Amino acid sequence: AWLVLTTTDTLMLTYFRTLEEVALYQAALPIESILSFFSTSLIIVLFPLSTELWVSKKYAELRQLLPSLYRYLFMIVLPVALLFVVYPEEILAFLFGVRYIGASVVLRIFALGSLLSVFAMTTMMILLGIGNPRRVALLSLSACVLNVVLNFILIPPYGIIGASVATVASYALLFFLTFRSLRSSVSFSVPLSSFLLMLFAGILFAAVLFALKAYLPLQGIVLVLSSSLVAGLFYLIALF
């Protein structure tokens, strides 16, 4: 299912649009996958851990684990995603050259959507770990169908932007469905106050990045690295 979500857009772009647009789109995709690294690392630990807790009927421990998991995952991924939102041109130019700056809007959309994709992938793995493969398959199929339909509607008129919106919308649906399913299987509370605090810290982080981008006499990847260090300090201060 995840393969369908991440390849359908490229195939339909190739059919409906130009190869130049496909190349721009392909430049943004690998960068977006960097954020998926965090969920992949967690999955290596989460899958056997969630299975062990579920099989051992340690439901209370599993309920305590899940809120902390989502909280720390959001805390780590949010600033990285915002860095891509603020500096897409600089990152694309550094990695692929200035001719790929045209993919900056797509990268911004993917950066915000990566928050949803990371949570969706993590939630899917937890559902698999507690023994719900059929449910995961059905929910993934729903997201894939939405992805195909939206790509068919959005790609012809809007090109790579339409493809990225379709993919992010599919991530959103998949996360909503899997998260609701997980909460029906394992009743756990969502720490809204912690997420609001992290959201405030993220807004502060982004504001500092935008300010430094406007006023620092630096360019390119040097600007990105310098700004991320300074903004990161503000982010940590706001959190702790």
Side-chain angles (χ1 to χ4, degrees):
W2 203 259
L3 182 63
V4 173
L5 284 177
T6 54
T7 57
T8 302
D9 44 8
T10 302
L11 293 174
M12 297 184 74
L13 269 173
T14 306
Y15 180 79
F16 285 112
R17 307 291 292 197
T18 65
L19 291 179
E20 181 182 354
E21 288 184 81
V22 175
L24 290 174
Y25 195 76
Q26 287 294 326
L29 276 176
I31 300 175
E32 187 264 344
S33 65
I34 293 173
L35 291 166
S36 299
F37 166 78
F38 297 106
S39 61
T40 303
S41 303
L42 279 172
I43 285 167
I44 296 174
V45 178
L46 277 178
F47 186 78
L49 178 60
S50 59
T51 301
E52 180 183 350
L53 291 176
W54 186 259
V55 172
S56 304
K57 297 184 179 181
K58 296 179 179 179
Y59 305 130
E61 294 182 26
L62 188 58
R63 293 190 192 99
Q64 293 176 353
L65 170 69
L66 294 177
S68 298
L69 164 67
Y70 286 111
R71 183 168 61 249
Y72 288 117
L73 186 60
F74 189 68
M75 184 188 303
I76 295 170
V77 175
L78 179 61
V80 182
L82 291 174
L83 190 65
F84 288 141
V85 170
V86 178
Y87 293 114
E89 296 89 354
E90 289 80 3
I91 294 171
L92 285 166
F94 174 72
L95 293 175
F96 302 105
V98 293
R99 62 179 178 173
Y100 287 95
I101 289 178
S104 58
V105 175
V106 174
L107 183 55
R108 281 192 171 104
I109 295 171
F110 272 144
L112 293 175
S114 64
L115 295 169
L116 296 167
S117 68
V118 164
F119 279 114
M121 185 182 297
T122 303
T123 309
M124 283 173 59
M125 290 301 106
I126 297 172
L127 281 172
L128 288 173
I130 63 175
N132 289 298
R134 181 176 297 180
R135 189 183 302 178
V136 169
L138 291 174
L139 299 180
S140 301
L141 179 61
S142 302
C144 290
V145 170
L146 177 67
N147 183 254
V148 172
V149 171
L150 288 180
N151 274 316
F152 186 78
I153 294 172
L154 297 176
I155 286 177
Y158 301 112
I160 58 177
I161 294 177
S164 58
V165 169
T167 300
V168 170
S170 303
Y171 290 156
L173 177 64
L174 184 59
F175 173 58
F176 171 76
L177 294 176
T178 53
F179 187 75
R180 187 179 66 172
S181 178
L182 179 60
R183 289 196 70 185
S184 68
S185 299
V186 184
S187 179
F188 64 95
S189 59
V190 179
L192 290 178
S193 59
S194 296
F195 279 97
L196 289 175
L197 175 61
M198 287 184 283
L199 188 59
F200 167 76
I203 293 172
L204 178 62
F205 178 81
V208 173
L209 287 179
F210 276 116
L212 294 175
K213 184 177 183 179
Y215 296 108
L216 270 184
L218 300 172
Q219 292 181 343
I221 198 65
V222 176
L223 173 63
V224 176
L225 294 175
S226 303
S227 300
S228 61
L229 288 174
V230 176
L233 290 176
F234 280 88
Y235 182 72
L236 291 174
I237 290 171
L239 285 177
F240 302 106

